[in-house]
Structure formats: structure tokens, C-alpha cells
Amino acid sequence: MMARGGPCALSVMSFVLMLWQEASSIEVPLDPKIQQDLKQPPTIVKQSLKDYIVDPRDNIIIECEAKGNPVPMFSWRRNGKFFNVGKDPRVTMRKRSGTLEISFRSGGRPEDYEGEYQCFASNDFGTALTNKILLRVSKSPLWPKEVLEPVVVTEGSPLVLSCNPPPGLPPPLTFWMNSNMMSIAQDRRVSMGLNGDLYFSNVLAKDSQTDYSCNARFLFTHTIQQKNPYTLKVQTKEPYNDTSSVNSTDLYSGRKVTETPPAFLSPTGTDSSMMVLRGEKLQLECIASGVPTPSIKWFKKGGDLNQKVKLENYNKTLQIDSVSEEDAGEYMCMANNQIGSIRHSIYVQVKAAPYWLDKPSNLVLAPNENGRLVCRTNGNPKPDIQWLVNGEPIGSDSSLPNPSREVVGDTIIFRSVQTGSSAVYQCNASNQHGYLLANAFVSILDMAPRMLGPKNQLIKVIENNRTFLDCPFFGSPLPELRWFKNGQGSGLDGGHYRVYINGTLEIKRALAEDQGTYTCVASNILGKEENQVRLEVKEPTRIVRAPEHQSAIRGTMARFDCRVKSDASLPITVTWLKDDKPLSLGWRLKKDEDSLSIPSVNEGDEGVYTCTVKTEIDQDTASARLTVLEDASLFPSQSSALPTDRPDPPTDLELSDPAASSIRLTWIPGDDHNSPVTRFVVQFEEDHWERGKWQNLSSYPGDLNSVVLQLSPFINYQFRVLAVNSVGQSRPSRPSQRYQTSPAPPDTIPSDLKGWGTNKNNMEISWEPLLDTERNGPNLKYLVWWRRKDTGEDWSNVTTEKTKHIVQDTETYVPYEIKLQAKNDIGPGPESNIITGYSGEDKPTAPPTDLRVFKPESTKVSIHWTPVDPSTVQGEFKEYRVYYWREASMVKGLHVNKEKKTKGFYSTVAQPTGILTDLHPYSHYRMFMVVANTRYEGPPSNHVEFYTKEGVPDVPTSLKIVQRSTDYIRLEWEKPVEPNGILIGYTLKYQTVNGSQVGRMVIESFLPNVTSYKLRLPDRALRYKFYLAARTQVGAGEVLAVESPHFTNEGNGSMSSVPVKQPPIKLAGLIEGAKYRLRVYSSEYHSISSKVVTFETSTAYIKDHVDIATQGWFIGLMCAIALIILILLIVCFIKRSRGGKYPVRDKKDLPLEGVDQKGEDGSFDYQNENENENSCSLQSSDEDNKPLQGSQNSLDGGVKESDDSLVDYGEGGDGQFNEDGSFIGQYTVKKDKDETEGNESSEATSPVNAIYSLA
């Protein structure tokens, strides 16, 4: 629930952030191929410290490293002005880097290069900046020359020896030593202050025995500077005896030193103040004088010193390593001795340089996407935020204008970004104590989809296992990914498939039918890319005959079975272990495919044998124990067979050592019948809750017969024991005597505590009751507490024996804190954790308003609405629920289903949006919206009508091969159930198929009123695959495919029936050369049937038989003979009429008509051959008056159809020729047309009418 109040501020904030539900930065994968092609602005990866102190003896190196694509170029500014690196011979810049190196080998002073430096890294997409690096050279000055007079002080007086070290960079560390280079011993009386001075709370005569010298250590130069020593002279009232106080605990005993009350040496006065920055070290100091030496104590006003506080230097220094705001306040130090006490207050104020709350991060967006950069900081005082782009302040004359960018305080909002607007943005947060600078680039990336995983991956899984098929991908805009199986059907999602956002397809339970090739297709506006994963589902590997526990006499053979059933395509490996260690298979132990044999067993062979069967994707194991028995010949009294059996039950159960929650149970094991007992099972029965029901309590190894049982309170126990060996389980022992445990408070917290309203003004608190064995005592009850959350009111409570309690008269849907405790007559149990429950919900009182649609498409539409006030939901907000239905289709005459559908949208932004998907194209829709909590819906919003655009049509309803003969195929189809627009026609594609080989694709287009097509067949042996799709103005829809069956299998197993009355009958309309199955059965009693008879129709000509009458050479020969006879007859007629002999030269002029003609290249002259054949062939035409494929044109340009065409022979019209041009193609007989005969019938003589069925 949102907090009430501040509606104006909430509205402004909601307006600023209204788009961020949809805006998210693209995560670019680390794939090398993607990174190589990815164009990105510069990013600073390494830079020197802001406060950079260097050693003057070394070269100066100022670091600046950046990455980007293209590789960035570097430039520098010094003290705010361009720094020309090339003009200074001492300065060089490293290759492919911006790091500066300043060398002083040829002279020069490092101090000349002190200043403020800033590095700029630029490429085509923007400029990134480093921090401003303040370069300073380390300094270690000498102590000034000075002559120190001896310090004279009266014994018991305080003393401060000043240090005042020379100012160095960085400041030196100070310490005190004497002339002999020995450290000055420090204690409660003598110590060094934070400023380096040496403080004496009181001076003793012995302090004059040494001198005192302050030393300063400079870290960078590793040098120590020593100040001239102090000489201390102590004036005493009596001579100092060094041995007088060696064993004395009182430093002042017998010295007649005047006792003085405490007084502060540092700090002075009654109060002081200090300012420290957040995160820095806080050190407060109180050093006091006095005799005796005062002790120091610290306090903080308003509270105790927290755990961060450390007291050092004999409690004189209070230190906090990392200060935070809560450490501010008034600290008091108190110095006291036996004379008096004194206090000093130090007021600590904590300020803060800027620090990050939300550092801006790089943003990669696709064109037209939205995004934002956020730069949230805090500090004391509040930092000022300044935004820069490519190093220039936004809004300045040198910065590029960008209409899609808006700066709102610490946020930059980007809307509908465009290619070319990539840049690097800098956020500079500063106050008087420091600054922060962060670079964050905005890169506009457009990239076609790419697959990141291996190509054509093979995945093997075990049947019934959960399976994941990975398909990592990337693109910008983010591609839409869909999965397909075997390249067919719609996308896989739903059912036992689930597609994750990263592209992974989950198959919840892989079955044999899930095996196949899965294709993942990623697509965006720039293209699409696909990858395939081949899934093989294997049978699980199982041990179907597992080894069994057995006993073997020493010297005999033992055998363990291990028969395996696995997938035939997976190689298996069988290994044996003994006592969980690999078994060495030597000359004695033998392993075959299904078993392990151990000949001549001995005591060393005893143990647990494990058979492990592994494949590359799964495994199975089974174990059994081998027990070695003594040879029966050594014990004649025993049977040589030594049969095994289940053990006898244990006897003589005895209870001892009773305690509050335990007791010892002892028994005597029964006979194991030659099979050792592997474990004992202890059971119990109690006579209060479930009298007579025995339950397992625990089990123990077979070598134990005395155990301590852990028991529950307030149970009247009775025990029994069962023994287990390799044969089985014994009968139960006789029960033990009863043992009553003492009651105790409950030690279990009731589970599943929850609170939820059953109506608008109550809250039902419920929980799971304790088990009977968890009651621990009589009169179990539950103590329930509840109170309104965040109101500070007192707890209400009730005690009940039930498992729920209803709190009445609550407000609607308000949170409550709830806790629960079980108790009995002995006492209460532990309290549960506090949970939050809610009172009941009521119906929402306000509807969403201003429901409207935006950018309707063919199958989806964007919707916008104004949300309700959260207080009107009156419950836990669940979703905005849209009710929508299809009012009508804009296709005339198409009836639609007006069933209402719903879709929920969870959104809490100020201007929510959603997308309705899976709509029907070219349709009229209506919708309204309600807000819903988990129980009720609110009133409806305004009703909205909208119209979807035209889309591609659905798949045609059917595509059938309704008729086939030797010459043609007839196709018929039905229009789609959902045209999704105005149909403009159909596209039919077809091609020949022969196994994996396919022919050229032929495309036909038809008007929308055409629903059939007739295709002439050049060869009845050809098979075709047809692809049909309907078309609208938008494009072609889903394709429906069908393949023609082989001619000899025409009908594809279809069944026809013919009613008859009396045999015999004649079946007509059969296909030549086809196989049929025939049976006769009763039309009234289908169970009365004849046997099935199989027959095959004959062909007009047998394909392998060569008919001489149809051979080309025979026809040519007959034509030549006929022509010669005709010429001879003509010549004879002329000669007879002329009465003389004909000259020889007339004979030479006669043409040789039967000779084959060849071209110059040896190829056959089809034209001449055709003329010769046409002169002797009979002409015919078919019913369509259309030329067959391969028919030849006549001399007058018309088309002649010849029954003797070469196309009618063999597999087409393509002939083969020898090197000399002779024709070697094989002719085959021309296929005859179908025969048609009428059906004949007569009266049946049988009392049962018969039906001939064809299959």
C-alpha cells in the first residue's frame, strides 16, 4: 500500500518516471565476436589519485587508461588549459594509452610540473574524463637551526616539551628519543600528544636523568630529521635517591611533593569543538596535569560510547576509525585524582564530502527506446549536481543539443533515442568539502540478431527427465525468440514447454515423441537468425537384476548378478567396488557382462560389493553384502548345506537408566540363521493418542544390543525390537514394560502461521496444530497475539484450544503484527517470529479511467489508462484486468465467437500501459477494464471499441488430392476459417520429390474463387509435394502441405465398400498395377466376415516387356519398306506406260528416308527424326486437346500429338547417345488409359446380404 499524503509531489515524481517500466538497458554479452563488432564510447578504466603526491627522485607517471571502440584518442589539460604533450621534450605519452611519463634524466625540476591535470579520452561516440588530479611533489624540509636553553621546572609541576616539526608533504610522523637513540618511555604520567608535543602530567626528579629530542620521519623520502634535544633540570625539595622508590608503588612517597587537583594541559578551557568529515578518523584528546597523576574517563552525552570507539594512549585519546553522522554530538572527558576532578566538553560536528547513493552506470539502448541516467549523492552540506556531455556542461554553447534528452535534477531522461546520439555523460557532485565525478555513456546500438551458442548442438537426455535446450542470443532491439520442432508448426510455448527470457526452452518431462530437431529463431526489425538443437531421448539405464546379500562357505564360489537394461545407442561401463573402493580384478576375480564371480572365497573377500553402471548421461548402482562362513567339515555337528533364513526375534528387553527425555533399552539378539544381522529396528507404541499402533522410533547397527532412546515428554512408551539380515526381517520381539516420560512445556513452535481476512471487517489467524507427540504435557492451548502494525498500540491476545482465531471489527485491509505460542499445564513454549497479516478486503470503489487504445495492429494493440488511487483498491493490489471480446469480423458473412477473454496487467506507475496480444486480424473488438485485488473486482471503466488491421490469412482448411489417374492429379482445397482480411487469391507451389532429392519449384497463383487445380502428369511414377497458402493484401499466410502418394499405393490405405446382393460381381474403377485387399462381411453383423484376399490389378503392358511393334527401329524399317514398294510400283507403272527399261541414274535420285540424321557435332537431329516418325505414326489426341510434354511441332507450326512420342517411353524424353551418335535410350511401353466398366449385381442366394469391401 502506498503512503497517503503528498499527492502533488507523487504526481510530479510519477510524471518524471512514467516510462521506466519499459526502459531497461541492454545487457551486452561478453562474447568476443559481439565485443569485436560493438561500437562503444570511451570508458575510463584506470587513473591516478585525486591528491597525487610523487617522490622528487623518481620520474612522474600520471595514469590515464581507457577502452572503447574505436580505440580512444587522449588529450590533457593542465590547470584548466590544453597541455601540449608534444612540445615538452621531458613528457611522453604511452602508446594506445593516455598515461603521461615525465622524465628528469636530462635535467629539470619536478616542482615545475606541479598543478592540476585532467585526461580526456575521445572517439567517434563521445569523450570520457578522469578526475582532476592534483599533482604535488613530496617535501621533507630540515629542522630550523635553534639553540634550546635548559628547561628548569619544580618537581610535581606539569611540563610540555613542544615539537613543532617542519611542515612536510605529506606531514611527517613524530616520536621522541634521547641522545642515545633510545625511545622515551611513556605512561599515564608522560605521553606524546596528537600534535607531537611531549606532555608531563607532573615532573619527577628522575625525569632529569635524560635529554629529550623530537624526531620527524618523512615517509616518501624515508628520512628522519632530529630536533636539538631538550635538557631538563628538576628542582626538588630534598635530594633524589634512585633506589628509594624501586619497590614502591607510590612515586611520591617520602618526596614531600605537594598534591594538586587535575588541570587540563590539552585542550584548554571547559569546552572546545571539532569538525570531522564522514569516513575520516576522529581523534579526541584530553591530557591533564595533577599530583597524583589523574586518570581519564570519557562519556558521550545522551548515550553510551558505541563499539566503534577505541581508547588509546592510556585513555587520553578517543579514536573512531571511520566517522559517520551518528557519531556527532558532545563528548566529555573527566580527569580525576584523589584531590578532585575536572571536565571538558568537545562538540563534534560531522560534515561529509559528496558520496554515492546511486552512481550512474552505462546505458545501452536500441533506437526508439527510452532510458535514464541517475546520479544520486549525499553530503553535508547537500552537494550540487552538474551534468556534462562529452566534457562540456549541458546547456552550454559547446554542448550538442538533443531534443530526446531532458535533465530533471539528478536524473537525465531519454525518450525515443535515435542512432547517432551516443555520448558520454559526466555527473559532477560537489560541495565545499570535495567533489565526485562519474562517467556513464549512452550508446545507441542497432544490431541484427546473433546466435551465441554452438551450432547444431546434440543433446542427449534420459526419458521422463526435465530438459533444457539453450539458445543464447543477442540483438538490438532485443529480438523476439521462438522455438519450433522439426521446422513445422507454430512456436513452442505452453503445455510441457516453457520458454525463458534468455532463450532457453524447458521440456518439463522429456518423452520419446519429443525427440527431434528444435529450431530457435531470433528476429527483430534488422533481420533474423536461427540455430538448431538436436534432441535425442534415451531410455534410462537400470539394473534389472541387482546383486543380493549372500553368505558363502570359505573355499566355495560366490557370484553377484548385475544385469543391466539401457538404451541400445548408449555405450555402458560396468565397474565394481568393494567397501566403496575400486575392486582390483586379477586372476581370481572374474567379471563378465552380467555378473561378478569370486572363486574360493576367503575372509578377505567379505564386505559390501557395489555394481555401478554408467553411460555418458546417467548411471545406476546396487549393492550387496558377502558374508564368509567357516567350512562345515570342521564342525561335523553342523549341516554341510548351512541354509540361511530370517533371524529370530530379540528377547529379554530391559529398560534402565531412566531420564527426563531418554532411557536405555537392552536386548539379547536371536539366532541369525547363518546370515549376520545388519541392523535392529526399535519401535514404540503409546496408549494415549494412538493405542495399539506401533511406529518406528529409530534403527541401529547389527552389532549393538544396548542403546539410549531419545524420547518425547508426556508419552507412556512401550518398545519392541526387530532384527534384519540379508534374508529379511524377523518377527517383533515381545514388548518391553511401559515407561512414562515426565511432562514438559512445548518445545515446538506451531507452523504455517498466517492472518487473512474472510470478509472486509475481520482477520482470521490460523496455524497448523502440534502433533500429538509434540504436546509434551496435558491441556495444550495456543496463545495468540495481534496488534495494528506501525501504530504503537498494545498487543491483544487470546488463549484458545482451536487452530484459528477470528479478530472482528477490523478496518478494511490494514496490516497486523501476529505472533503465536503453544503452552500446556507445565508452561509456555517458545514464541514464534512476528509475521504480518492483513484484515479482509472489500470491493474496489473506483474504476480505471480514460481507457484508450494506441497503435492497433493486426494481432495486438497497445492500451493506456489512468490508474486508480491506491486507497480505493481496498485490498492487496493484484492487477488491472481487461475484459475484451470479438464483436464481429469485418469479413462479410463470417460468424465469430463472442466469448469474453481477460488479461491482467500488474503496474504501479503513474501512466501505465499494456499490450493485448493474440487478437484476430480484421476484426471489431470491444473491451473494458477493472481493478482487482486478490478477492474482488472493482466497477468497470469506460467501454472502448477498436478495429484490428488486416493480417495474413490462416492456413487453408484443407488441401486434398481428390482424383488421380495415370495422366493427371486433381487438387481441391477449402478457404481458411479465418481469412483475417479480404482474400485476394491463393498461391500454390509444387515440386517433384524423390527421397531427399527435390525438383524445381513451380508456382501457380489463383483468384480467391478458385478452389481446385488439375495437374497433368508427364510420368505416373513421379511424386509431387504441394504447398498452398491463401493471400491478403498483407501477404501470404501459413502454408498447408500435402504429398502425393506413390501411384502403386494410391488411396494410401483408404477403404471403399460396395453393397451387393448376390455374387459374382465385377469391380470397376480400379487402378492398374495397384494392390488391393478384399473381404466380404455382413452389413447387419460386422463380426461375420470372410478372410482377407489380396490381389493386384494388371497393367496394359508389362513395363519390362519390349513390344516390337512400338520400337522405333521396327517402325522405321516398315516405313522404309513401304516407301521402296511404293517407289517400285510407281516406277513399274511409268515403265509399263512407256514400255521400256528405266535408266540407272533415276534410281540414284531416290532419297534414303530411313537413315538417321546427325548434326555436325554428332548429336541427333530431332527435327529430321521427328519428320520421319510423324510420316509413319498414327495421330491421336486426348480429351483435353493439349500437347503432352515432349511432343514435337509439325512442319506447319501446329502441335501434333503422337502415341509414338519418345516421351511416352522410359522416364522422359531425354535420350542418351554413343560417341558415334547412335541412340542408346531404352524405350518402354506407353501407359494405357484407365478402363471403365459398369457394376453388375444380382439377387443374393444367402440369407445375409453381403458387402464386398476394398482395402
Side-chain angles (χ1 to χ4, degrees), residues 429-451:
S430 61
N431 63 14
Q432 64 195 57
H433 302 297
Y435 76 95
L436 292 173
L437 178 68
N439 293 277
F441 66 67
V442 177
S443 179
I444 314 305
L445 177 63
D446 52 349
M447 182 177 290
R450 295 191 182 186
M451 291 298 172

Coordinates of all heavy atoms in Angstrom, one line a residue, residues 429-451:
A429 N 29.3 16.0 -8.7 CA 28.6 16.4 -7.5 C 29.6 17.0 -6.5 O 30.7 16.4 -6.3 CB 28.0 15.2 -6.8
S430 N 29.4 18.2 -6.0 CA 30.4 18.9 -5.3 C 29.8 19.7 -4.1 O 28.6 20.2 -4.2 CB 31.2 19.9 -6.2 OG 30.3 20.8 -6.8
N431 N 30.5 19.9 -3.1 CA 30.3 20.8 -2.0 C 31.6 21.4 -1.5 O 32.6 21.1 -2.1 CB 29.4 20.2 -0.9 CG 30.1 19.1 -0.2 OD1 31.3 18.9 -0.3 ND2 29.3 18.3 0.6
Q432 N 31.6 22.1 -0.4 CA 32.8 22.8 0.0 C 33.9 21.8 0.5 O 35.0 22.2 0.7 CB 32.5 23.8 1.1 CG 31.9 23.1 2.4 CD 31.3 24.1 3.3 OE1 30.4 24.8 2.9 NE2 31.8 24.2 4.5
H433 N 33.5 20.5 0.7 CA 34.5 19.6 1.2 C 35.0 18.6 0.2 O 35.9 17.8 0.5 CB 33.8 18.7 2.3 CG 33.3 19.5 3.4 ND1 34.1 20.3 4.3 CD2 32.0 19.7 3.9 CE1 33.3 20.9 5.2 NE2 32.0 20.6 4.9
G434 N 34.6 18.7 -1.1 CA 35.1 17.8 -2.1 C 34.1 17.7 -3.2 O 33.1 18.3 -3.3
Y435 N 34.5 16.7 -4.2 CA 33.6 16.5 -5.3 C 33.7 15.1 -5.7 O 34.6 14.3 -5.4 CB 34.0 17.4 -6.5 CG 35.3 17.0 -7.2 CD1 35.2 16.2 -8.4 CD2 36.6 17.3 -6.7 CE1 36.4 15.8 -9.0 CE2 37.7 16.9 -7.4 CZ 37.6 16.1 -8.5 OH 38.7 15.7 -9.2
L436 N 32.7 14.6 -6.5 CA 32.7 13.3 -7.2 C 32.5 13.5 -8.7 O 31.7 14.4 -9.1 CB 31.6 12.4 -6.6 CG 31.7 12.0 -5.2 CD1 30.4 11.2 -4.8 CD2 32.8 11.0 -5.0
L437 N 33.1 12.7 -9.5 CA 33.0 12.8 -10.9 C 32.8 11.3 -11.4 O 33.6 10.5 -11.1 CB 34.2 13.4 -11.6 CG 34.1 13.5 -13.1 CD1 33.0 14.5 -13.6 CD2 35.4 13.9 -13.8
A438 N 31.7 11.1 -12.2 CA 31.5 9.8 -12.7 C 31.1 9.9 -14.2 O 30.4 10.8 -14.6 CB 30.3 9.1 -12.0
N439 N 31.7 9.0 -15.0 CA 31.3 8.9 -16.4 C 30.3 7.8 -16.6 O 30.4 6.7 -16.0 CB 32.6 8.6 -17.3 CG 33.6 9.7 -17.3 OD1 33.5 10.6 -18.1 ND2 34.6 9.6 -16.4
A440 N 29.4 8.0 -17.5 CA 28.4 7.0 -17.9 C 28.0 7.3 -19.4 O 27.6 8.3 -19.7 CB 27.2 7.0 -17.0
F441 N 28.3 6.3 -20.2 CA 28.0 6.5 -21.6 C 26.6 6.1 -22.0 O 26.0 5.1 -21.3 CB 29.0 5.9 -22.6 CG 29.1 4.4 -22.6 CD1 28.0 3.6 -23.1 CD2 30.2 3.8 -22.2 CE1 28.1 2.3 -23.1 CE2 30.3 2.4 -22.2 CZ 29.3 1.6 -22.7
V442 N 26.0 6.7 -23.0 CA 24.7 6.3 -23.5 C 25.0 5.9 -25.0 O 25.4 6.7 -25.8 CB 23.6 7.4 -23.5 CG1 22.4 6.9 -24.2 CG2 23.3 7.8 -22.1
S443 N 24.9 4.5 -25.2 CA 25.3 4.0 -26.6 C 24.0 3.5 -27.3 O 23.3 2.7 -26.7 CB 26.3 2.9 -26.4 OG 26.6 2.3 -27.7
I444 N 23.8 4.1 -28.5 CA 22.6 3.7 -29.2 C 23.0 2.5 -30.2 O 23.8 2.8 -31.1 CB 22.0 4.8 -30.0 CG1 21.9 6.1 -29.1 CG2 20.7 4.5 -30.6 CD1 21.1 5.9 -27.9
L445 N 22.5 1.3 -29.9 CA 23.0 0.1 -30.6 C 21.9 -0.5 -31.4 O 20.8 -0.7 -30.9 CB 23.5 -0.9 -29.5 CG 24.0 -2.2 -30.1 CD1 25.2 -2.0 -30.9 CD2 24.3 -3.1 -28.9
D446 N 22.2 -0.6 -32.7 CA 21.3 -1.4 -33.5 C 22.1 -2.6 -34.2 O 23.1 -2.3 -34.8 CB 20.6 -0.5 -34.6 CG 21.7 0.2 -35.4 OD1 22.8 0.3 -35.0 OD2 21.3 0.8 -36.5
M447 N 21.7 -3.8 -33.9 CA 22.4 -5.0 -34.3 C 21.4 -6.1 -34.6 O 20.5 -6.3 -33.9 CB 23.4 -5.4 -33.2 CG 24.2 -6.6 -33.6 SD 25.4 -7.1 -32.3 CE 26.5 -5.7 -32.4
A448 N 21.6 -6.7 -35.8 CA 20.7 -7.8 -36.2 C 21.0 -9.0 -35.2 O 22.0 -9.1 -34.6 CB 21.1 -8.2 -37.6
P449 N 20.0 -9.9 -35.1 CA 20.1 -11.0 -34.1 C 21.4 -11.8 -34.4 O 21.7 -12.0 -35.6 CB 18.8 -11.8 -34.3 CG 17.9 -10.8 -34.9 CD 18.7 -9.9 -35.7
R450 N 22.0 -12.3 -33.4 CA 23.1 -13.2 -33.5 C 23.0 -14.3 -32.5 O 22.5 -14.1 -31.4 CB 24.4 -12.5 -33.2 CG 24.8 -11.4 -34.2 CD 26.2 -10.9 -34.1 NE 26.6 -9.9 -35.0 CZ 27.8 -9.4 -35.1 NH1 28.8 -9.9 -34.4 NH2 28.0 -8.4 -36.0
M451 N 23.3 -15.5 -32.9 CA 23.3 -16.7 -32.0 C 24.7 -16.8 -31.4 O 25.7 -16.8 -32.0 CB 23.0 -17.9 -32.8 CG 21.5 -18.0 -33.3 SD 20.4 -17.9 -31.9 CE 18.8 -17.7 -32.8

